[in-house]
């Protein structure tokens, strides 16, 4: 797959928003390891914290003790999430989601979790049960009892709640797949409906959290207080696997209600010192470098400049997103001249035009991006929050060049398109699945 899309590249080192190959060429990283490198790659403050942990010979993972670092990190996270009181630490986004699903079921005593079309919450069995894309689920049935609804529809939520037995709705405030932004008021409306029916709101902030969208948590664009929030990816600056489930005190109180139940949900490596120190350092960087407001400002400027290109390029249908989580959507050209190429790609597989743009951004300009999901003509920009005017200009130049070429029927670009078609037809798996 990597070879087919031209991504079979070895990198030697990385710094901030750039990767470097062995010849010293730099690559602008608008993918950030699926959003892990919010503070940029190899941030010196996080590195220094990790060195200190190693050199400090800490008494880590004693298991029956009261370690300081998880307490401190929990305190810092909760300070950013008014209304939430407790934190469970684990090792990844999907584990944070698993915890939220289990907590919701136990705390409410109900089995059903509602989730949205196109949702992505991870790929372990519980998280997969709330995955809104058939290509990930296929062949893994039976999963947990599920109830899928359209993203953004309060009517559908209400209808599902009326059927009873619902523990929670889990939702990404901005869906990673396709970068769909929740309509204004949706999360607040959902919370009210859920609470009216004794169910909980879980906001999955694994991708959107920690400043990515121009708020510390993306749900904070809406006036809403979720019952649980999941966090991972950027929390450790990309150095140590980490995840966290933030919740209200009463939920923890129910789950861990007695001496017998203190280990009822746990993970051996969760709350390890490396992850916790990296988390504390990353939060300090986010604060010190004002990355939340910077993401809002830089992302806003990049989106505005990209939106201006919609009138210029007929295959660019729209730009959406928030902060530095941005989608560029392509659509069928009006002019006959361009339709032949577009149709050739579509006939082989939907999403190949976007893949072609991703490939050309990379081959020609060494800009790393991704398609925003399987079978969609959308690319996603998820750069480190540390980018500034230089990277915005770099991306705009590269993108305009690739779009110029696509619209002029540029030979090299469509040749690459034909290579993708051959791959898609002969080895369909080589084109996906898009991670979202
Ligand atoms: C919203 C969301 N939730 C959960 C996950 C799963 O995280 P992980 O890959 O760390 O298990 C992802 C990963 O992309 C995600 O975007």
């Amino acid at each position: 797959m990597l070879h087919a899309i031209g991504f079979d590249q070895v990198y030697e080192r990385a710094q901030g928003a750039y990767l470097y190959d062995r010849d010293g060429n730099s690559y602008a990283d608008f993918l950030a390891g699926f959003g892990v490198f919010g503070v940029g790659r190899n941030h010196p403050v996080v590195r220094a914290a990790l060195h200190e942990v190693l050199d400090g010979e800490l008494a880590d993972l004693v298991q029956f003790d009261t370690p300081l670092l998880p307490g401190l990190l929990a305190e810092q996270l909760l300070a950013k999430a008014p209304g939430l009181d407790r934190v469970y630490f684990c090792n990844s986004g999907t584990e944070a989601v698993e915890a939220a699903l289990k907590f919701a079921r136990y705390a409410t005593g109900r089995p059903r979790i509602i989730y949205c079309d196109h949702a992505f919450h991870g790929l372990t069995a519980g998280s997969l049960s709330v995955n809104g894309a058939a290509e990930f689920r296929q062949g893994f049935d039976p999963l947990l009892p599920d109830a899928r609804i359209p993203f953004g529809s309060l009517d559908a939520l209400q209808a599902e709640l009326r059927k009873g037995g619902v523990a929670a709705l889990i939702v990404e405030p901005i869906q990673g797949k396709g970068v769909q932004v929740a309509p204004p008021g949706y999360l607040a409306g959902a919370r009210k409906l859920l609470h009216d029916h004794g169910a909980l709101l879980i906001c999955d902030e694994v991708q959107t959290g920690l400043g990515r969208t121009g708020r510390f948590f993306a749900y904070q664009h809406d006036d809403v207080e979720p019952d649980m929030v999941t966090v991972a990816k950027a929390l450790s600056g990309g150095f140590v696997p980490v995840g966290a489930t933030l919740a209200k005190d009463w939920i923890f109180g129910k789950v861990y209600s007695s001496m017998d139940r203190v280990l009822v949900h746990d993970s051996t490596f969760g709350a390890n010192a490396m992850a916790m120190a990296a988390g504390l350092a990353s939060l300090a960087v986010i604060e010190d470098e004002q990355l939340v407001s910077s993401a809002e400002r830089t992302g806003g400027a990049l989106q505005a400049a990209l939106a201006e290109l919609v009138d210029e390029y007929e295959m660019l249908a729209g730009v959406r997103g928030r902060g530095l989580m941005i989608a560029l959507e392509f659509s069928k050209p009006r002019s006959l001249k361009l339709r032949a190429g577009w149709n050739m790609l579509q006939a082989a597989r939907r999403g190949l035009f976007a893949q072609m743009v991703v490939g050309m951004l990379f081959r020609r300009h060494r800009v790393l991006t991704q398609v925003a999901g399987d079978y969609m003509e959308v690319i996603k920009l998820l750069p480190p929050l540390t980018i500034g005017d230089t990277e915005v200009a770099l991306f705009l130049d590269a993108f305009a060049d690739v779009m110029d070429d696509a619209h002029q029927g540029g030979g090299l670009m469509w040749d690459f398109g034909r290579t993708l078609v051959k791959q898609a037809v002969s080895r369909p798996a080589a084109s996906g699945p898009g991670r979202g």
Side-chain angles (χ1 to χ4, degrees):
M1 189 270 273
L2 294 172
H3 180 69
I5 61 176
F7 274 22
D8 49 344
Q9 175 69 48
V10 178
Y11 299 100
E12 214 161 56
R13 63 186 189 87
Q15 184 58 53
Y18 296 93
L19 299 152
Y20 299 89
D21 66 19
R22 66 188 103 189
D23 299 321
N25 296 311
S26 66
Y27 297 74
D29 184 10
F30 276 70
L31 174 56
F34 293 144
V36 161
F37 295 99
V39 299
R41 289 174 180 270
N42 292 313
H43 196 290
V45 170
V46 190
R47 278 168 50 201
L50 290 172
H51 279 297
E52 273 180 44
V53 170
L54 281 178
D55 296 341
E57 298 183 21
L58 304 188
D60 194 14
L61 297 175
V62 176
Q63 308 296 3
F64 295 110
D65 68 334
T66 49
L68 281 177
L69 291 174
L72 292 171
L73 183 56
E75 207 171 63
Q76 299 269 318
L77 281 171
L78 293 171
K80 300 291 186 189
L84 298 179
D85 318 290
R86 302 278 213 112
V87 183
Y88 166 78
F89 286 112
C90 52
N91 312 284
S92 65
T94 198
E95 278 184 56
V97 169
E98 294 285 343
L101 301 183
K102 282 180 70 180
F103 290 3
R105 291 176 98 182
Y106 195 84
T108 61
R110 298 173 180 179
R112 296 170 68 224
I113 308 280
I114 303 179
Y115 64 98
C116 295
D117 285 342
H118 305 299
F120 189 94
H121 300 289
L123 295 175
T124 50
S127 304
L128 191 60
S129 303
V130 291
N131 185 306
E135 62 268 22
F136 284 109
R137 305 171 64 102
Q138 213 177 13
F140 297 108
D141 291 328
L143 296 166
L144 297 178
D146 56 67
R148 179 153 58 98
I149 58 169
F151 180 59
S153 166
L154 291 176
D155 289 345
L157 176 61
Q158 185 153 37
E160 214 46 67
L161 283 166
R162 283 206 186 110
K163 292 181 194 163
V166 174
L169 165 73
I170 182 162
V171 63
E172 300 151 88
I174 302 178
Q175 289 192 319
K177 184 164 179 168
V179 190
Q180 300 295 347
V181 182
Y186 172 64
L187 295 176
R191 179 186 187 266
K192 178 161 188 333
L193 285 176
L194 287 156
H195 282 201
D196 288 349
H197 289 80
L200 309 177
L201 174 65
I202 305 169
C203 285
D204 183 348
E205 294 269 358
V206 167
Q207 189 162 151
T208 49
L210 313 187
R212 162 83 35 210
T213 71
R215 296 285 184 278
F216 193 84
F217 291 117
Y219 70 75
Q220 290 163 346
H221 289 283
D222 228 343
D223 188 17
V224 67
E225 210 178 82
D227 301 291
M228 281 190 266
V229 171
T230 53
V231 184
K233 289 197 192 280
L235 183 55
S236 76
F239 287 93
V240 191
V242 68
T245 308
L246 284 59
K248 290 195 173 288
D249 187 53
W250 74 266
I251 297 173
F252 268 61
K254 282 216 162 176
V255 175
Y256 299 104
S257 57
S258 65
M259 287 287 276
D260 297 347
R261 295 186 55 81
V262 290
L263 292 174
V264 75
H265 188 77
D266 191 26
S267 168
T268 305
F269 277 104
N272 69 83
M274 296 285 272
M276 300 299 101
L280 283 163
S282 298
L283 293 188
V285 171
I286 291 170
E287 192 83 26
D288 292 349
E289 298 185 15
Q290 300 180 359
L291 293 183
V292 183
S293 54
S294 177
E296 185 174 33
R297 198 175 46 252
T298 313
L302 179 54
Q303 269 198 64
L306 288 166
E308 281 179 21
L309 302 180
V310 172
D311 288 339
E312 210 164 305
Y313 299 114
E314 57 176 283
M315 282 190 277
L316 181 60
V319 179
R320 60 173 175 269
R322 267 192 169 136
L324 284 169
M325 182 168 179
I326 300 175
L328 296 162
E329 177 143 27
F330 306 104
S331 69
K332 188 174 180 144
R334 289 177 299 276
S335 61
L336 273 180
K337 185 179 81 147
L338 294 174
R339 278 209 187 169
W342 176 270
N343 289 341
M344 167 189 79
L345 296 174
Q346 294 290 305
R349 191 180 210 274
R350 187 148 186 260
L352 280 194
F353 182 84
Q355 192 65 71
M356 186 169 81
V357 173
V358 165
M360 291 314 278
L361 281 170
F362 185 73
R363 286 175 162 213
R364 204 180 275 178
H365 298 281
R366 301 201 190 100
V367 174
L368 188 59
T369 57
Q370 67 170 130
V371 293
D374 224 5
Y375 302 106
M376 47 173 74
E377 296 292 2
V378 182
I379 70 173
K380 179 158 76 175
L381 311 183
L382 215 56
L385 310 186
T386 52
I387 68 162
D389 295 347
T390 309
E391 289 74 27
V392 167
L394 182 153
F395 184 82
L396 289 171
D397 285 350
F399 184 66
D401 177 65
V402 170
M403 291 311 276
D404 279 341
D405 208 29
H407 286 74
Q408 287 153 13
L412 273 181
M413 177 151 181
W414 292 100
D415 277 352
F416 176 53
R418 272 184 281 278
T419 309
L420 291 178
V421 167
K422 269 188 222 141
Q423 290 290 339
V425 173
S426 64
R427 287 189 296 151
S431 318
R435 173 65 188 263

